[in-house]
Amino acid sequence: MIAALLMSAAPVHAEEAPDMRGLYLQLIRQARSDGRPRAALAYLDDFERRYPGDGEAGLLRVNSLIDLGQIDAAEAVPLPAATADGGVFAVRGHLLAARGRWGEAAACYAQASGASPADALLRNAWGYALLRAGQAGAAIEALRGARDLAPQIAVIRNNLLLALMVGGRRAEAEAGLRRIGDEALRGKLAAEAARIGKGG
C-alpha cells in the first residue's frame, strides 16, 4: 500500500506532503522486517537522493547491510553523533556483536536500552550480548525484562531459556520448556548452551 502510494505519487513540494519522509522510512523499515534487505537498500538509495545526509536512513542502511552479512560495508557507513532513542548505540551494538565483541556490544545495548527502556527487542539484544560475554546472571535479568515487555515474542522467550541453562538454572529452564512442549526446541537450546559454555 505504502509502496504503491510512493511510486505513483508525482513529485510534490514539502509543504504539500509534510510526511513523505516518514512514509518512505516506514516503507524501508517494512522491507527489512519482511526479510527483504536488498529492497530496503534500493529504497534507501532513492530516499537518500531526495533527503541527503538523513541520520535515520544511515542507521537503516547499516542494519540492512548487517542483515546481508556485509559487515565491512556496514562499518563504512558514517553514523550520526547520537539519537534521542538510542538508535546509534543500538547500531554500534549490532556491529560489535557481528564481530563477536560481546562485552562492548553489551555496553552499547545497555546505553540504547537506557534511552528506550520499553523496547523489548533492544533488551533482548542486550541480554544475549551479556550471555555471550559470560555474564549469565545479568543476561537473565535483562531477558526477563524483555520477556515482561513482550511475552509473545518467541526469540526473547528462547533466549531467556538459553540464559537459564547457561547460568545453571536448569529447573527454571525445564519448567519453561515443559510449558512449551517442544522437544526440538529443547535439543536446539541444549546444543547452543553447550556451545556457549565452551566459549563458542
Side-chain angles (χ1 to χ4, degrees):
M1 172 77 176
I2 295 169
L5 170 68
L6 289 172
M7 298 200 180
S8 65
V12 292
H13 298 294
E15 64 271 12
E16 294 170 345
D19 200 32
M20 185 58 76
R21 175 187 171 276
L23 285 170
Y24 221 132
L25 289 171
Q26 185 179 345
L27 171 68
I28 295 162
R29 285 191 211 97
Q30 188 63 51
R32 276 197 70 231
S33 67
D34 289 345
R36 298 182 298 121
R38 289 174 185 83
L41 287 168
Y43 293 140
L44 278 163
D45 288 342
D46 189 49
F47 178 90
E48 287 170 347
R49 279 193 288 272
R50 298 169 187 242
Y51 305 97
D54 187 274
E56 194 169 350
L59 298 182
L60 285 165
R61 181 171 293 280
V62 172
N63 282 325
S64 297
L65 290 166
I66 292 171
D67 293 342
L68 290 168
Q70 297 178 15
I71 308 307
D72 290 340
E75 288 175 336
V77 176
L79 295 176
T83 55
D85 66 354
V88 173
F89 288 118
V91 165
R92 286 186 182 141
H94 301 335
L95 288 169
L96 290 162
R99 294 295 190 194
R101 294 163 61 181
W102 296 108
E104 295 167 80
C108 286
Y109 289 137
Q111 289 183 287
S113 292
S116 293
D119 187 323
L121 290 175
L122 262 181
R123 282 183 179 265
N124 176 67
W126 179 26
Y128 186 76
L130 286 166
L131 180 63
R132 296 301 305 272
Q135 301 177 53
I140 289 167
E141 287 311 305
L143 291 164
R144 280 186 171 144
R147 182 201 55 195
D148 288 352
L149 286 165
Q152 75 284 4
I153 298 180
V155 69
I156 294 173
R157 176 202 68 200
N158 295 347
N159 281 339
L160 176 56
L161 292 170
L162 177 63
L164 290 167
M165 287 179 167
V166 172
R169 302 188 191 183
R170 294 277 173 181
E172 291 176 71
E174 281 299 319
L177 285 164
R178 277 194 302 275
R179 282 193 295 275
I180 299 165
D182 183 339
E183 287 305 311
L185 176 62
R186 181 190 301 273
K188 287 177 186 172
L189 290 176
E192 181 69 3
R195 186 177 72 81
I196 291 172
K198 291 177 183 173

